[in-house]
Amino acid sequence: MKAAPNKILVIRSSAMGDVAMTAPVLAQVAAAYPEVEIVLLTRRFYEPFFDGIDRLTIHNINIDQGQAHRGIKGLVRLYRELRRCCPGVEMVIDLQDKIYSKLLRKFYRLAGVKTFHIDKGRVEKKYLTAVPGKGKVMRQLRTSIDRYADVFREAGFELGTVPAALSFYQRQRTVPAGLGFSKGAGEVWIGIAPFAQHQGKVYPLEKMQEVMRMAGERWASARMFIFGGGEEERRLAELAVAEDVSGRAVSVVGRFGLREEMDLMANLDLMVSMDSSAMHMASLVGVPVISVWGATHPYAGFLGLGQAMEDAVGLELDCRPCSVYGHKVCWRGDYACMNDLAPEAVFERMVRRLG
C-alpha cells in the first residue's frame, strides 16, 4: 500500500484458541509497519497472548449476557466508547465476522472508515464436514492464521508467509513461583490438556490416564501437568492425580492466571492436547504438541502454529470430520472418533517426539 494507516482497529474476541492464532499475524504486521498503531478489540483476559507486540493496545469488550456491550444498545455504546477512547482509527480489520462485528463495521463505514473482513471459507468447510456420500471433500483448507493474514493483504499490507515460530514468545520464562518447585536436571516435563468445550473434541479421561500411565513407565523422570479450567475440570484433574500410580502427576487447573500458565507451558518438553486453546498456547511459546482430534480435523485449518501434521492423532473414519468446531452431536451416536482411539496411538506419537 502507498501509505499505511496510522491506526487500525482489529476485531477478534472469541474463541480463546482463535484469539491466540491472531497473535503471530499481528506480530508480523507490527514488525513490518512500525508506524501503525493497533487497537485490538477483544477480552482483557487474552492480553498475555500479545505480550511483546509493540504499539498494540487492547480495548476490552463485554458481550456476554448482561454485560455492557450486549445487544444493539450495547454495540452502539461500544462504538461510541471506541470513538471516544480510540480516536483516529483509519481502518477496521474484522477477523471475527459475527453479527456484532458486522454491525461495528457498518458503523465505521458510515463514518467514512474503510473496513475489511475475514473469509472463513464456510462453503468449503461445509463440504469438508458433510456426511459421507453427500458431497464430502477431504482436503487441507487454508489455515486460520493464513486467513487472518489474507485480510491484511486485502487491505493493502504487504505480508510474507507468517513465521512458524515467534521468538519473543519463546524467551526464557520462569516457572511460576506458586508451583512450589522448579525443573530438575534431566527431568521430562509433559503437559496434559485432556479437556475441551465440546464432547466431540474430548478424549475419554480414563484413556488419557492410560496414556499418562504409559508415559510414567517410559520416562522415569517425567512430571505430568494437567491443564484445564473451571470447577468440573478441576475436580476431574484432581481425580486423575489421585489415581496416578507414578505419583508424578500435578493438577494446575485453576492455580494460575493465563500469563503464568504460558510461563509454565514454556518449560514443558511436550504438550498432549485436544483441539483446544491449550494447543495454541503451547504453540505460541514454541512447545511441540501431540494433538488429539475427534469430531474435528486439522484439515479445517486449526492446527497450532508451527505444529506438524504427523503429530496430530485421529482415527481414519469416513465420517470425520463431522464438525468444524466439534459442537455437533455425533450422528452415529457413539463418538467412535474418540472412544475407539487407542491410548497406544497417542503414546506412540509421544515416544516419536521425546525418544
Side-chain angles (χ1 to χ4, degrees):
M1 62 193 303
K2 294 181 179 180
N6 292 317
K7 182 182 287 189
I8 62 175
L9 174 67
V10 180
I11 304 172
R12 182 80 225 197
S13 64
S14 65
M16 190 169 175
D18 296 287
V19 175
M21 284 189 284
T22 67
V25 178
L26 296 182
Q28 187 182 31
V29 172
Y33 292 86
E35 72 278 18
V36 175
E37 180 183 348
I38 301 172
V39 177
L40 176 61
L41 182 63
T42 192
R43 289 173 168 83
R44 182 72 62 187
F45 176 79
Y46 299 140
E47 191 170 27
F49 292 153
F50 307 97
D51 286 350
I53 301 181
D54 294 332
R55 301 171 314 285
L56 184 148
T57 58
I58 287 178
H59 190 89
N60 190 52
I61 182 171
N62 293 307
I63 56 174
D64 297 323
Q65 188 68 37
Q67 297 299 318
H69 302 141
R70 181 83 173 181
I72 297 297
K73 289 183 178 179
L75 287 176
V76 172
R77 185 182 299 116
L78 174 60
Y79 173 68
R80 290 172 176 170
E81 189 180 296
L82 285 165
R83 298 287 282 186
R84 182 179 69 254
C85 300
C86 309
V89 169
E90 299 174 19
M91 181 180 291
V92 175
I93 303 289
D94 180 6
L95 305 181
Q96 187 86 35
D97 198 32
K98 291 286 186 71
I99 293 176
Y100 87 87
S101 63
K102 292 176 189 287
L103 287 172
L104 282 177
R105 291 197 326 249
K106 185 174 182 178
F107 294 157
Y108 272 99
R109 280 200 307 273
L110 290 173
V113 177
K114 292 182 178 180
T115 69
F116 300 86
H117 66 278
I118 187 172
D119 174 6
K120 292 186 174 181
R122 290 185 174 92
V123 173
E124 52 190 349
K125 287 176 181 176
K126 181 178 179 180
Y127 286 119
L128 178 66
T129 58
V131 175
K134 300 292 185 178
K136 193 177 190 70
V137 179
M138 285 294 294
R139 66 183 181 92
Q140 178 65 59
L141 305 183
R142 198 154 181 77
T143 70
S144 290
I145 293 174
D146 286 331
R147 290 184 190 276
Y148 293 155
D150 287 343
V151 186
F152 285 93
R153 295 182 183 113
E154 182 187 356
F157 290 83
E158 296 181 2
L159 300 180
T161 302
V162 179
L166 301 173
S167 58
F168 61 86
Y169 284 107
Q170 297 168 29
R171 65 187 186 280
Q172 183 63 41
R173 287 175 177 253
T174 304
V175 172
L179 187 63
F181 56 88
S182 57
K183 193 172 186 177
E187 282 190 345
V188 175
W189 280 17
I190 302 171
I192 305 290
F195 308 112
Q197 186 175 3
H198 304 293
Q199 184 178 353
K201 299 203 295 184
V202 179
Y203 194 47
L205 187 58
E206 64 272 15
K207 291 180 178 288
M208 186 59 81
Q209 288 177 277
E210 180 63 15
V211 173
M212 293 169 62
R213 183 194 65 77
M214 290 187 284
E217 292 179 353
R218 173 81 183 203
W219 297 287
S221 65
R223 281 189 183 271
M224 287 167 279
F225 300 89
I226 304 177
F227 292 85
E231 287 304 314
E232 179 61 13
E233 292 183 6
R234 184 207 296 261
R235 184 188 69 80
L236 292 173
E238 290 174 353
L239 178 64
V241 169
E243 295 178 351
D244 174 51
V245 295
S246 74
R248 296 193 297 277
V250 179
S251 171
V252 293
V253 180
R255 290 180 58 181
F256 305 113
L258 185 60
R259 186 171 283 107
E260 289 177 307
E261 278 202 345
M262 293 180 70
D263 289 342
L264 177 56
M265 286 184 184
N267 286 275
L268 300 177
D269 296 288
L270 185 69
M271 171 66 83
V272 180
S273 171
M274 307 299 99
D275 170 19
S276 67
S277 59
M279 171 178 63
H280 297 292
M281 291 167 63
S283 299
L284 287 182
V285 295
V287 172
V289 180
I290 302 301
S291 52
V292 182
W293 301 73
T296 59
H297 197 287
Y299 277 4
F302 298 109
L303 191 63
L305 177 71
Q307 299 299 336
M309 184 66 80
E310 56 264 29
D311 289 336
V313 187
L315 283 179
E316 294 296 328
L317 299 175
D318 62 0
C319 56
R320 286 190 63 231
C322 63
S323 173
V324 174
Y325 306 110
H327 62 293
K328 295 181 179 179
V329 176
C330 175
W331 63 270
R332 293 170 44 128
D334 59 1
Y335 288 96
C337 54
M338 282 299 194
N339 291 327
D340 292 352
L341 181 61
E344 289 79 7
V346 180
F347 177 66
E348 183 273 331
R349 302 296 177 95
M350 296 172 67
V351 173
R352 187 187 303 177
R353 262 293 180 178
L354 289 177

